[in-house]
């Protein structure tokens, strides 16, 4: 059996990857905008050569897409015992991400720059937003089947009703409180409107 041809060049260093991505996260966390970042500055602050960055990413947009991917956390485990409990679990995960300064900083940055950098927004949507929305939609559709949620609601609108209040606080209002119990308050308030009418 023939051996695969040897790879050329030096192997990619995970330490350099981590240093660069952590540097971008720190700069965004400190209030820097995507437009204000340059590969030269990122390399300097990460303590690596500019060439090392360009060997890994073709440019700033490609780097930012990888930065977004690092923030894609696993969805919480849903027990499936009740629609309310699963909705609370999903919103609680959103609340905890909102409390994480770097996640909120990055999300605000992406929202602020989504028109100027549509590929970045599209990647964030595909990497993070779509999965969160699909999880909420699946719980709500299950609720329609069990009679816990009205069947005449547009599923996309229902997802917005549950996720919107948390996103407004986490993204649009930088200093808004995200207290414990907020997930339950949102779910109970919206469920009161989406339950089947007697």
């Amino acid at each position: 059996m023939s051996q695969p041809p040897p790879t050329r060049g030096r192997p990619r260093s995970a330490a350099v990857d981590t240093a660069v991505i952590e540097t971008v996260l720190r700069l965004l966390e400190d209030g820097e905008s995507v437009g204000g970042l340059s590969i030269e500055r990122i390399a300097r602050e990460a303590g690596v050569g500019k060439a090392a960055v360009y060997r890994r990413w073709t440019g700033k947009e490609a780097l930012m897409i990888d930065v977004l991917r690092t923030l894609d956390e696993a969805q919480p485990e849903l027990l499936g015992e009740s629609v309310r409990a699963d909705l609370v679990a999903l919103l609680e995960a959103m609340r905890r991400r909102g409390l994480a300064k770097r996640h909120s900083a990055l999300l605000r940055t992406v929202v602020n720059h989504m028109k100027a950098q549509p590929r970045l927004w599209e990647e964030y949507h595909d990497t993070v937003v779509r999965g969160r929305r699909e999880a909420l939609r699946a719980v709500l559709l299950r609720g329609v089947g069990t009679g816990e949620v009205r069947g005449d609601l547009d599923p996309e609108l229902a997802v917005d009703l549950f996720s919107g209040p948390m996103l407004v606080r986490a993204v649009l209002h930088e200093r808004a409180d995200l207290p414990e119990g907020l997930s339950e308050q949102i779910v109970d308030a919206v469920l009161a409107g989406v339950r089947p009418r007697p």
Side-chain angles (χ1 to χ4, degrees), residues 21-168:
I21 288 174
E22 285 296 317
T23 296
V24 174
L25 287 168
R26 177 176 53 78
L27 291 169
L28 292 171
E29 194 175 3
D30 290 343
E32 186 59 80
S33 68
V34 173
L37 292 175
S38 67
I39 294 295
E40 291 79 3
R41 180 180 176 193
I42 292 167
R44 184 175 64 251
E45 301 219 10
V48 302
K50 186 171 67 172
V53 178
Y54 279 116
R55 275 197 300 271
R56 290 158 172 80
W57 297 280
T58 56
K60 187 170 65 175
E61 186 176 84
L63 170 56
M64 282 300 303
I65 287 171
D66 268 2
V67 170
L68 291 176
R69 289 184 178 128
T70 67
L71 295 179
D72 187 21
E73 301 169 5
Q75 290 276 37
E77 183 179 355
L78 303 180
L79 301 178
E81 295 172 354
S82 75
V83 167
R84 180 188 182 275
D86 286 352
L87 289 171
V88 167
L90 291 170
L91 263 65
E92 184 62 15
M94 290 174 61
R95 185 184 77 88
R96 287 195 306 271
R97 285 194 299 273
L99 288 172
K101 185 179 177 186
R102 67 171 31 179
H103 190 279
S104 294
L106 184 60
L107 187 51
R108 281 191 294 275
T109 296
V110 170
V111 170
N112 289 337
H113 293 271
M114 65 182 177
K115 289 185 178 177
Q117 302 190 39
R119 185 164 174 252
L120 187 59
W121 174 250
E122 181 180 350
E123 181 66 25
Y124 186 81
H125 188 275
D126 290 346
T127 302
V128 179
V129 176
R130 179 173 292 152
R132 312 295 179 207
R133 291 185 65 85
E134 286 176 354
L136 277 168
R137 188 185 305 110
V139 172
L140 291 167
L141 290 175
R142 193 184 82 226
V144 171
T146 61
E148 297 169 81
V149 176
R150 285 166 37 199
D152 62 340
L153 290 173
D154 174 8
E156 292 300 317
L157 174 60
V159 168
D160 290 341
L161 290 172
F162 282 97
S163 61
M166 194 72 77
L167 288 173
V168 165

Side-chain angles (χ1 to χ4, degrees), residues 8-23:
R8 293 184 177 182
R10 291 175 294 176
R12 181 165 161 167
S13 167
V16 172
D17 294 3
T18 300
V20 170
I21 288 174
E22 285 296 317
T23 296

